[in-house]
Amino acid sequence: MLAAVSLLAACSGQKRLEQYKDVYVERPATIYVAPVDDQSPHKAVREKKDSIYNISLSIAAKQLYLTAADPLTDMGYYVLGPLASAQIAATETRTGKQLRNENISDYNTELGVDAILFINLKSWKQTNNSWTAEIEYLLRSTHTGNELMHVWVNSTKFLHTDHKGNPKPLADDLRFAERYGCDLETAQRCRLVEITNQYVLRDLPSGERARSYDAERYVPSHPEYFYLRIQRDGSVELFRTDQIETSNEN
């Protein structure tokens, strides 16, 4: 999916052993992905296009949730399936804020879950040929309550435009839209959040079900807050906050 990932040398964060020291200590095996908290502003419905816009955002939030499990599974973690997750969410009486801040040891003792992944979709912005999402990821231990990962990412997907300024989707975008029967805008949002999930969650150390190497611990990790840019050719670049203004986005 990630056609190419360019990590600027100056953008490297801490070594993975330092960034995820609690993950290496606790070695979580089973992860529950909580329902996405979609905090992005939706439009008041005055016209049909407002409703279409809101539906596009809701579909993207669902895609953000549905595609979070794959990278975790690929990294060697056991992720509760959608049916079990839906049953847990339906019976949970605590708010998302309470789950993020209060005792969640019952998820371990009663369900065998080692950590809960919280994903907050903060906002959306767009131009005629770009879509931007602000997303927060928090992985919290059910054993100790520690934050095993806490990341904020500003992720943007760009498209080329034709001589009239209309966006020109990539072949992968068109295939996605055809496969799921969605419009171009919704396809861009869905592909953006899926790629962002892949990039953010694959930064975690390998889980118990994956073959890991000692060298992995000393690979630079991404910063806790960064910018992800999916360029017009499908390549992916990462920037620190102080680099984004001078990055070549055009």
Side-chain angles (χ1 to χ4, degrees), residues 48-198:
K48 184 178 181 180
K49 64 180 182 180
D50 296 328
S51 180
I52 293 174
Y53 175 85
N54 291 342
I55 291 173
S56 180
L57 264 58
S58 297
I59 292 174
K62 184 176 182 180
Q63 182 75 354
L64 178 62
Y65 173 73
L66 292 176
T67 58
D70 286 347
L72 292 172
T73 301
D74 291 342
M75 292 302 295
Y77 296 94
Y78 176 77
V79 183
L80 269 62
L83 180 59
S85 296
Q87 292 175 333
I88 292 172
T91 57
E92 179 57 70
T93 58
R94 288 165 290 190
T95 65
K97 183 177 180 180
Q98 289 174 321
L99 289 174
R100 285 174 56 121
N101 296 286
E102 298 180 3
N103 190 321
I104 52 174
S105 60
D106 55 303
Y107 272 79
N108 177 254
T109 56
E110 297 178 13
L111 301 172
V113 171
D114 297 310
I116 301 178
L117 176 63
F118 301 94
I119 306 176
N120 296 331
L121 181 52
K122 298 290 190 178
S123 65
W124 284 101
K125 294 180 182 178
Q126 69 182 88
T127 66
N128 68 313
N129 71 322
S130 71
W131 291 261
T132 299
E134 287 271 359
I135 308 174
E136 176 190 15
Y137 294 81
L138 171 63
L139 184 66
R140 187 169 182 234
S141 169
T142 61
H143 296 270
T144 62
N146 291 338
E147 292 184 359
L148 305 179
M149 176 188 74
H150 201 171
V151 171
W152 293 263
V153 57
N154 176 295
S155 188
T156 299
K157 188 175 187 302
F158 298 96
L159 289 182
H160 286 291
T161 57
D162 60 21
H163 67 283
K164 295 182 179 180
N166 298 315
K168 297 172 61 177
L170 298 173
D172 286 344
D173 300 331
L174 295 174
R175 283 191 288 268
F176 184 97
E178 181 179 0
R179 179 181 178 184
Y180 292 100
C182 60
D183 58 87
L184 173 63
E185 180 174 327
T186 302
Q188 297 309 305
R189 296 182 191 279
C190 288
R191 295 204 67 233
L192 182 152
V193 297
E194 184 171 359
I195 291 172
T196 304
N197 270 341
Q198 289 280 343

Side-chain angles (χ1 to χ4, degrees), residues 21-54:
K21 59 180 183 297
D22 286 337
V23 176
Y24 284 108
V25 170
E26 296 195 25
R27 304 299 298 175
T30 302
I31 296 176
Y32 162 63
V33 181
V36 166
D37 183 7
D38 184 5
Q39 302 172 1
S40 60
H42 287 49
K43 292 184 177 180
V45 179
R46 297 186 178 90
E47 303 177 21
K48 184 178 181 180
K49 64 180 182 180
D50 296 328
S51 180
I52 293 174
Y53 175 85
N54 291 342

Side-chain angles (χ1 to χ4, degrees), residues 179-240:
R179 179 181 178 184
Y180 292 100
C182 60
D183 58 87
L184 173 63
E185 180 174 327
T186 302
Q188 297 309 305
R189 296 182 191 279
C190 288
R191 295 204 67 233
L192 182 152
V193 297
E194 184 171 359
I195 291 172
T196 304
N197 270 341
Q198 289 280 343
Y199 190 81
V200 171
L201 298 175
R202 283 180 180 272
D203 193 60
L204 283 166
S206 297
E208 292 184 353
R209 298 172 65 193
R211 184 177 182 181
S212 60
Y213 301 90
D214 288 339
E216 174 192 88
R217 299 177 177 226
Y218 305 100
V219 173
S221 179
H222 57 54
E224 292 185 359
Y225 188 95
F226 63 95
Y227 290 80
L228 192 67
R229 295 296 180 253
I230 307 166
Q231 304 293 6
R232 292 163 177 80
D233 61 357
S235 63
V236 180
E237 293 182 306
L238 179 151
F239 300 92
R240 284 197 319 256

